[in-house]
Amino acid sequence: MIGNWSVAHFGTRFARAGRSALRSPAPVTHGLILLCSLLFLTGPAAGLNPAYGSGEGLLAAQRAYFHRWGVVPAELFEGAPRAALTPATALFVHGSWVHLLGNMLFLYVFGAMTEERMGRVQFTLFYLGCGYLALLGYAAANDDSTQSLVGASGAISAVLGAFLFLFPGARVTSLLPFLLFLPLRFPAWVVLPFWVALQWVAAGRADQGPGVAYLAHLVGFALGFGFAWARFGRPTRVKPVPAPAPEGENQP
């Protein structure tokens, strides 16, 4: 099973960007967090549901669960309708507690303001569409892999990309391991490109480390940033209105 998010580099939370993300009405973001959490708690990965057994039986149930709902690149392009849906279903499946909590933390922090800026319907379509394409991109680049890919981080990476474009000056509190995890505040335009650089380096060493789909992170981030630029980056054209003539210049 391949997880697809890494939270070892830095934990983040957002302090202020005009208004607090935690106060923003974000029903879609909160609903996604709730849905992913409920599916995880009732599934075999949490280890809490006695219906999946324990020991070797639980491990077998986990493998079957990930294979059914996750993306298996080698099967995705064979033309089976069920496999074509897996880049969508995989967005709601997580492989471990750390995997779930890391993803939901990032979604909670960066999703609220992004959703408020885009609107509920557009944010929902954006999240699902970019998440699907991010996992599809990873599968296309690893089309001979038989390992299951699960997790929401392709979609969440897209949220990060859109957030960077929409709120580049938002203050982000980062905990950096090489600075003894001291909380330091930087604008998003510093922290998020740094995160992308880490994903890029890690993607080049993917064969040497744990099974994390860094490529899906990069694809998702690029899609999110590109969408925000295309949707919100174009200047609005306002038709000029002639100013009224000063008093004394009006024609009789």
PDB file of all heavy atoms in Angstrom, residues 87-115:
ATOM      1  N   PRO A  87      -9.650   6.574  -8.843  1.00  0.00           N
ATOM      2  CA  PRO A  87      -9.009   7.836  -8.470  1.00  0.00           C
ATOM      3  C   PRO A  87      -9.926   8.765  -7.678  1.00  0.00           C
ATOM      4  O   PRO A  87      -9.444   9.686  -7.012  1.00  0.00           O
ATOM      5  CB  PRO A  87      -8.636   8.458  -9.823  1.00  0.00           C
ATOM      6  CG  PRO A  87      -8.480   7.283 -10.737  1.00  0.00           C
ATOM      7  CD  PRO A  87      -9.549   6.332 -10.299  1.00  0.00           C
ATOM      8  N   ALA A  88     -11.240   8.535  -7.753  1.00  0.00           N
ATOM      9  CA  ALA A  88     -12.181   9.309  -6.947  1.00  0.00           C
ATOM     10  C   ALA A  88     -12.380   8.675  -5.578  1.00  0.00           C
ATOM     11  O   ALA A  88     -12.344   9.354  -4.544  1.00  0.00           O
ATOM     12  CB  ALA A  88     -13.519   9.443  -7.669  1.00  0.00           C
ATOM     13  N   THR A  89     -12.567   7.366  -5.537  1.00  0.00           N
ATOM     14  CA  THR A  89     -12.796   6.713  -4.244  1.00  0.00           C
ATOM     15  C   THR A  89     -11.544   6.730  -3.370  1.00  0.00           C
ATOM     16  O   THR A  89     -11.644   6.815  -2.143  1.00  0.00           O
ATOM     17  CB  THR A  89     -13.253   5.258  -4.449  1.00  0.00           C
ATOM     18  OG1 THR A  89     -12.253   4.533  -5.193  1.00  0.00           O
ATOM     19  CG2 THR A  89     -14.570   5.207  -5.215  1.00  0.00           C
ATOM     20  N   ALA A  90     -10.376   6.689  -3.998  1.00  0.00           N
ATOM     21  CA  ALA A  90      -9.130   6.680  -3.229  1.00  0.00           C
ATOM     22  C   ALA A  90      -8.935   7.956  -2.421  1.00  0.00           C
ATOM     23  O   ALA A  90      -8.202   7.961  -1.418  1.00  0.00           O
ATOM     24  CB  ALA A  90      -7.934   6.474  -4.158  1.00  0.00           C
ATOM     25  N   LEU A  91      -9.589   9.059  -2.835  1.00  0.00           N
ATOM     26  CA  LEU A  91      -9.456  10.324  -2.127  1.00  0.00           C
ATOM     27  C   LEU A  91     -10.023  10.270  -0.718  1.00  0.00           C
ATOM     28  O   LEU A  91      -9.709  11.125   0.118  1.00  0.00           O
ATOM     29  CB  LEU A  91     -10.162  11.437  -2.904  1.00  0.00           C
ATOM     30  CG  LEU A  91      -9.619  11.775  -4.291  1.00  0.00           C
ATOM     31  CD1 LEU A  91     -10.494  12.818  -4.961  1.00  0.00           C
ATOM     32  CD2 LEU A  91      -8.182  12.269  -4.196  1.00  0.00           C
ATOM     33  N   PHE A  92     -10.853   9.274  -0.443  1.00  0.00           N
ATOM     34  CA  PHE A  92     -11.520   9.196   0.855  1.00  0.00           C
ATOM     35  C   PHE A  92     -10.994   8.040   1.711  1.00  0.00           C
ATOM     36  O   PHE A  92     -11.568   7.743   2.763  1.00  0.00           O
ATOM     37  CB  PHE A  92     -13.028   9.045   0.642  1.00  0.00           C
ATOM     38  CG  PHE A  92     -13.618  10.174  -0.156  1.00  0.00           C
ATOM     39  CD1 PHE A  92     -13.787  10.061  -1.530  1.00  0.00           C
ATOM     40  CD2 PHE A  92     -13.975  11.367   0.448  1.00  0.00           C
ATOM     41  CE1 PHE A  92     -14.310  11.105  -2.278  1.00  0.00           C
ATOM     42  CE2 PHE A  92     -14.505  12.413  -0.287  1.00  0.00           C
ATOM     43  CZ  PHE A  92     -14.664  12.287  -1.656  1.00  0.00           C
ATOM     44  N   VAL A  93      -9.925   7.412   1.272  1.00  0.00           N
ATOM     45  CA  VAL A  93      -9.352   6.259   1.973  1.00  0.00           C
ATOM     46  C   VAL A  93      -7.951   6.621   2.448  1.00  0.00           C
ATOM     47  O   VAL A  93      -7.166   7.182   1.687  1.00  0.00           O
ATOM     48  CB  VAL A  93      -9.296   5.018   1.057  1.00  0.00           C
ATOM     49  CG1 VAL A  93      -8.686   3.833   1.795  1.00  0.00           C
ATOM     50  CG2 VAL A  93     -10.691   4.670   0.550  1.00  0.00           C
ATOM     51  N   HIS A  94      -7.639   6.262   3.706  1.00  0.00           N
ATOM     52  CA  HIS A  94      -6.315   6.551   4.259  1.00  0.00           C
ATOM     53  C   HIS A  94      -5.741   5.297   4.900  1.00  0.00           C
ATOM     54  O   HIS A  94      -6.480   4.452   5.408  1.00  0.00           O
ATOM     55  CB  HIS A  94      -6.391   7.695   5.259  1.00  0.00           C
ATOM     56  CG  HIS A  94      -6.693   9.012   4.609  1.00  0.00           C
ATOM     57  ND1 HIS A  94      -7.973   9.407   4.302  1.00  0.00           N
ATOM     58  CD2 HIS A  94      -5.870   9.999   4.162  1.00  0.00           C
ATOM     59  CE1 HIS A  94      -7.941  10.598   3.711  1.00  0.00           C
ATOM     60  NE2 HIS A  94      -6.678  10.972   3.616  1.00  0.00           N
ATOM     61  N   GLY A  95      -4.413   5.203   4.851  1.00  0.00           N
ATOM     62  CA  GLY A  95      -3.760   3.962   5.230  1.00  0.00           C
ATOM     63  C   GLY A  95      -3.376   3.834   6.689  1.00  0.00           C
ATOM     64  O   GLY A  95      -3.077   2.732   7.149  1.00  0.00           O
ATOM     65  N   SER A  96      -3.345   4.943   7.423  1.00  0.00           N
ATOM     66  CA  SER A  96      -2.928   4.884   8.828  1.00  0.00           C
ATOM     67  C   SER A  96      -3.417   6.130   9.546  1.00  0.00           C
ATOM     68  O   SER A  96      -3.890   7.086   8.915  1.00  0.00           O
ATOM     69  CB  SER A  96      -1.401   4.801   8.930  1.00  0.00           C
ATOM     70  OG  SER A  96      -0.804   6.009   8.494  1.00  0.00           O
ATOM     71  N   TRP A  97      -3.285   6.123  10.872  1.00  0.00           N
ATOM     72  CA  TRP A  97      -3.676   7.283  11.663  1.00  0.00           C
ATOM     73  C   TRP A  97      -2.856   8.520  11.277  1.00  0.00           C
ATOM     74  O   TRP A  97      -3.392   9.614  11.147  1.00  0.00           O
ATOM     75  CB  TRP A  97      -3.503   6.982  13.151  1.00  0.00           C
ATOM     76  CG  TRP A  97      -4.559   6.074  13.705  1.00  0.00           C
ATOM     77  CD1 TRP A  97      -4.500   4.714  13.823  1.00  0.00           C
ATOM     78  CD2 TRP A  97      -5.848   6.473  14.192  1.00  0.00           C
ATOM     79  NE1 TRP A  97      -5.674   4.237  14.362  1.00  0.00           N
ATOM     80  CE2 TRP A  97      -6.508   5.286  14.601  1.00  0.00           C
ATOM     81  CE3 TRP A  97      -6.495   7.698  14.334  1.00  0.00           C
ATOM     82  CZ2 TRP A  97      -7.796   5.320  15.144  1.00  0.00           C
ATOM     83  CZ3 TRP A  97      -7.776   7.732  14.873  1.00  0.00           C
ATOM     84  CH2 TRP A  97      -8.415   6.546  15.269  1.00  0.00           C
ATOM     85  N   VAL A  98      -1.544   8.336  11.101  1.00  0.00           N
ATOM     86  CA  VAL A  98      -0.683   9.460  10.739  1.00  0.00           C
ATOM     87  C   VAL A  98      -1.072  10.006   9.368  1.00  0.00           C
ATOM     88  O   VAL A  98      -1.120  11.224   9.149  1.00  0.00           O
ATOM     89  CB  VAL A  98       0.795   9.041  10.767  1.00  0.00           C
ATOM     90  CG1 VAL A  98       1.691  10.138  10.200  1.00  0.00           C
ATOM     91  CG2 VAL A  98       1.226   8.693  12.187  1.00  0.00           C
ATOM     92  N   HIS A  99      -1.349   9.111   8.446  1.00  0.00           N
ATOM     93  CA  HIS A  99      -1.767   9.494   7.097  1.00  0.00           C
ATOM     94  C   HIS A  99      -3.036  10.340   7.151  1.00  0.00           C
ATOM     95  O   HIS A  99      -3.125  11.414   6.542  1.00  0.00           O
ATOM     96  CB  HIS A  99      -1.987   8.220   6.280  1.00  0.00           C
ATOM     97  CG  HIS A  99      -2.135   8.446   4.814  1.00  0.00           C
ATOM     98  ND1 HIS A  99      -2.719   7.517   3.978  1.00  0.00           N
ATOM     99  CD2 HIS A  99      -1.793   9.480   4.018  1.00  0.00           C
ATOM    100  CE1 HIS A  99      -2.708   7.969   2.745  1.00  0.00           C
ATOM    101  NE2 HIS A  99      -2.149   9.172   2.741  1.00  0.00           N
ATOM    102  N   LEU A 100      -4.026   9.869   7.897  1.00  0.00           N
ATOM    103  CA  LEU A 100      -5.293  10.586   8.011  1.00  0.00           C
ATOM    104  C   LEU A 100      -5.114  11.931   8.692  1.00  0.00           C
ATOM    105  O   LEU A 100      -5.556  12.967   8.175  1.00  0.00           O
ATOM    106  CB  LEU A 100      -6.300   9.739   8.801  1.00  0.00           C
ATOM    107  CG  LEU A 100      -7.618  10.457   9.132  1.00  0.00           C
ATOM    108  CD1 LEU A 100      -8.496  10.552   7.900  1.00  0.00           C
ATOM    109  CD2 LEU A 100      -8.347   9.736  10.268  1.00  0.00           C
ATOM    110  N   LEU A 101      -4.470  11.945   9.863  1.00  0.00           N
ATOM    111  CA  LEU A 101      -4.358  13.174  10.637  1.00  0.00           C
ATOM    112  C   LEU A 101      -3.537  14.228   9.901  1.00  0.00           C
ATOM    113  O   LEU A 101      -3.861  15.417   9.942  1.00  0.00           O
ATOM    114  CB  LEU A 101      -3.736  12.863  12.006  1.00  0.00           C
ATOM    115  CG  LEU A 101      -4.599  11.995  12.930  1.00  0.00           C
ATOM    116  CD1 LEU A 101      -3.839  11.659  14.202  1.00  0.00           C
ATOM    117  CD2 LEU A 101      -5.916  12.677  13.256  1.00  0.00           C
ATOM    118  N   GLY A 102      -2.475  13.796   9.218  1.00  0.00           N
ATOM    119  CA  GLY A 102      -1.682  14.751   8.452  1.00  0.00           C
ATOM    120  C   GLY A 102      -2.484  15.391   7.341  1.00  0.00           C
ATOM    121  O   GLY A 102      -2.471  16.614   7.158  1.00  0.00           O
ATOM    122  N   ASN A 103      -3.213  14.573   6.587  1.00  0.00           N
ATOM    123  CA  ASN A 103      -4.019  15.114   5.496  1.00  0.00           C
ATOM    124  C   ASN A 103      -5.112  16.038   6.003  1.00  0.00           C
ATOM    125  O   ASN A 103      -5.347  17.116   5.452  1.00  0.00           O
ATOM    126  CB  ASN A 103      -4.647  13.965   4.703  1.00  0.00           C
ATOM    127  CG  ASN A 103      -3.755  13.447   3.608  1.00  0.00           C
ATOM    128  OD1 ASN A 103      -2.741  14.051   3.276  1.00  0.00           O
ATOM    129  ND2 ASN A 103      -4.121  12.315   3.036  1.00  0.00           N
ATOM    130  N   MET A 104      -5.820  15.621   7.047  1.00  0.00           N
ATOM    131  CA  MET A 104      -6.932  16.415   7.545  1.00  0.00           C
ATOM    132  C   MET A 104      -6.457  17.724   8.168  1.00  0.00           C
ATOM    133  O   MET A 104      -7.153  18.743   8.114  1.00  0.00           O
ATOM    134  CB  MET A 104      -7.761  15.610   8.547  1.00  0.00           C
ATOM    135  CG  MET A 104      -8.441  14.377   7.934  1.00  0.00           C
ATOM    136  SD  MET A 104      -9.489  14.743   6.500  1.00  0.00           S
ATOM    137  CE  MET A 104      -8.409  14.274   5.118  1.00  0.00           C
ATOM    138  N   LEU A 105      -5.274  17.718   8.770  1.00  0.00           N
ATOM    139  CA  LEU A 105      -4.719  18.962   9.307  1.00  0.00           C
ATOM    140  C   LEU A 105      -4.495  19.974   8.188  1.00  0.00           C
ATOM    141  O   LEU A 105      -4.903  21.140   8.295  1.00  0.00           O
ATOM    142  CB  LEU A 105      -3.406  18.684  10.035  1.00  0.00           C
ATOM    143  CG  LEU A 105      -2.610  19.922  10.466  1.00  0.00           C
ATOM    144  CD1 LEU A 105      -3.401  20.729  11.487  1.00  0.00           C
ATOM    145  CD2 LEU A 105      -1.253  19.519  11.033  1.00  0.00           C
ATOM    146  N   PHE A 106      -3.866  19.543   7.117  1.00  0.00           N
ATOM    147  CA  PHE A 106      -3.610  20.449   6.001  1.00  0.00           C
ATOM    148  C   PHE A 106      -4.917  20.921   5.365  1.00  0.00           C
ATOM    149  O   PHE A 106      -5.046  22.087   4.988  1.00  0.00           O
ATOM    150  CB  PHE A 106      -2.724  19.766   4.963  1.00  0.00           C
ATOM    151  CG  PHE A 106      -1.259  19.861   5.259  1.00  0.00           C
ATOM    152  CD1 PHE A 106      -0.669  19.036   6.190  1.00  0.00           C
ATOM    153  CD2 PHE A 106      -0.466  20.791   4.597  1.00  0.00           C
ATOM    154  CE1 PHE A 106       0.686  19.120   6.472  1.00  0.00           C
ATOM    155  CE2 PHE A 106       0.893  20.889   4.870  1.00  0.00           C
ATOM    156  CZ  PHE A 106       1.470  20.048   5.807  1.00  0.00           C
ATOM    157  N   LEU A 107      -5.880  20.020   5.228  1.00  0.00           N
ATOM    158  CA  LEU A 107      -7.159  20.413   4.639  1.00  0.00           C
ATOM    159  C   LEU A 107      -7.883  21.408   5.541  1.00  0.00           C
ATOM    160  O   LEU A 107      -8.455  22.401   5.062  1.00  0.00           O
ATOM    161  CB  LEU A 107      -8.025  19.175   4.410  1.00  0.00           C
ATOM    162  CG  LEU A 107      -9.420  19.416   3.819  1.00  0.00           C
ATOM    163  CD1 LEU A 107      -9.334  20.162   2.496  1.00  0.00           C
ATOM    164  CD2 LEU A 107     -10.161  18.092   3.645  1.00  0.00           C
ATOM    165  N   TYR A 108      -7.854  21.177   6.828  1.00  0.00           N
ATOM    166  CA  TYR A 108      -8.519  22.066   7.785  1.00  0.00           C
ATOM    167  C   TYR A 108      -7.904  23.458   7.759  1.00  0.00           C
ATOM    168  O   TYR A 108      -8.604  24.475   7.801  1.00  0.00           O
ATOM    169  CB  TYR A 108      -8.403  21.462   9.186  1.00  0.00           C
ATOM    170  CG  TYR A 108      -9.081  22.274  10.265  1.00  0.00           C
ATOM    171  CD1 TYR A 108     -10.470  22.298  10.366  1.00  0.00           C
ATOM    172  CD2 TYR A 108      -8.338  23.002  11.187  1.00  0.00           C
ATOM    173  CE1 TYR A 108     -11.101  23.029  11.355  1.00  0.00           C
ATOM    174  CE2 TYR A 108      -8.963  23.740  12.179  1.00  0.00           C
ATOM    175  CZ  TYR A 108     -10.337  23.745  12.265  1.00  0.00           C
ATOM    176  OH  TYR A 108     -10.950  24.480  13.244  1.00  0.00           O
ATOM    177  N   VAL A 109      -6.588  23.523   7.665  1.00  0.00           N
ATOM    178  CA  VAL A 109      -5.888  24.801   7.723  1.00  0.00           C
ATOM    179  C   VAL A 109      -6.045  25.587   6.430  1.00  0.00           C
ATOM    180  O   VAL A 109      -6.349  26.779   6.444  1.00  0.00           O
ATOM    181  CB  VAL A 109      -4.395  24.576   8.042  1.00  0.00           C
ATOM    182  CG1 VAL A 109      -3.597  25.859   7.839  1.00  0.00           C
ATOM    183  CG2 VAL A 109      -4.217  24.062   9.459  1.00  0.00           C
ATOM    184  N   PHE A 110      -5.845  24.929   5.298  1.00  0.00           N
ATOM    185  CA  PHE A 110      -5.800  25.641   4.032  1.00  0.00           C
ATOM    186  C   PHE A 110      -7.120  25.589   3.253  1.00  0.00           C
ATOM    187  O   PHE A 110      -7.297  26.347   2.298  1.00  0.00           O
ATOM    188  CB  PHE A 110      -4.678  25.081   3.155  1.00  0.00           C
ATOM    189  CG  PHE A 110      -3.307  25.347   3.702  1.00  0.00           C
ATOM    190  CD1 PHE A 110      -2.624  24.356   4.394  1.00  0.00           C
ATOM    191  CD2 PHE A 110      -2.692  26.573   3.528  1.00  0.00           C
ATOM    192  CE1 PHE A 110      -1.349  24.583   4.900  1.00  0.00           C
ATOM    193  CE2 PHE A 110      -1.427  26.820   4.031  1.00  0.00           C
ATOM    194  CZ  PHE A 110      -0.747  25.827   4.719  1.00  0.00           C
ATOM    195  N   GLY A 111      -8.020  24.698   3.633  1.00  0.00           N
ATOM    196  CA  GLY A 111      -9.238  24.535   2.849  1.00  0.00           C
ATOM    197  C   GLY A 111     -10.288  25.601   3.094  1.00  0.00           C
ATOM    198  O   GLY A 111     -11.021  25.972   2.178  1.00  0.00           O
ATOM    199  N   ALA A 112     -10.364  26.101   4.339  1.00  0.00           N
ATOM    200  CA  ALA A 112     -11.470  26.987   4.698  1.00  0.00           C
ATOM    201  C   ALA A 112     -11.489  28.265   3.867  1.00  0.00           C
ATOM    202  O   ALA A 112     -12.507  28.628   3.278  1.00  0.00           O
ATOM    203  CB  ALA A 112     -11.394  27.322   6.192  1.00  0.00           C
ATOM    204  N   MET A 113     -10.372  28.968   3.832  1.00  0.00           N
ATOM    205  CA  MET A 113     -10.355  30.224   3.087  1.00  0.00           C
ATOM    206  C   MET A 113     -10.433  29.996   1.585  1.00  0.00           C
ATOM    207  O   MET A 113     -11.007  30.802   0.849  1.00  0.00           O
ATOM    208  CB  MET A 113      -9.100  31.029   3.447  1.00  0.00           C
ATOM    209  CG  MET A 113      -9.193  31.684   4.800  1.00  0.00           C
ATOM    210  SD  MET A 113      -7.854  32.873   5.087  1.00  0.00           S
ATOM    211  CE  MET A 113      -8.236  34.126   3.887  1.00  0.00           C
ATOM    212  N   THR A 114      -9.836  28.887   1.120  1.00  0.00           N
ATOM    213  CA  THR A 114      -9.921  28.575  -0.308  1.00  0.00           C
ATOM    214  C   THR A 114     -11.365  28.311  -0.707  1.00  0.00           C
ATOM    215  O   THR A 114     -11.840  28.785  -1.749  1.00  0.00           O
ATOM    216  CB  THR A 114      -9.046  27.358  -0.643  1.00  0.00           C
ATOM    217  OG1 THR A 114      -7.713  27.591  -0.174  1.00  0.00           O
ATOM    218  CG2 THR A 114      -9.022  27.099  -2.136  1.00  0.00           C
ATOM    219  N   GLU A 115     -12.078  27.568   0.128  1.00  0.00           N
ATOM    220  CA  GLU A 115     -13.490  27.307  -0.145  1.00  0.00           C
ATOM    221  C   GLU A 115     -14.298  28.595  -0.115  1.00  0.00           C
ATOM    222  O   GLU A 115     -15.166  28.824  -0.975  1.00  0.00           O
ATOM    223  CB  GLU A 115     -14.047  26.328   0.891  1.00  0.00           C
ATOM    224  CG  GLU A 115     -15.539  26.079   0.744  1.00  0.00           C
ATOM    225  CD  GLU A 115     -16.113  25.217   1.840  1.00  0.00           C
ATOM    226  OE1 GLU A 115     -15.330  24.548   2.552  1.00  0.00           O
ATOM    227  OE2 GLU A 115     -17.349  25.210   1.998  1.00  0.00           O
TER     228      GLU A 115
END
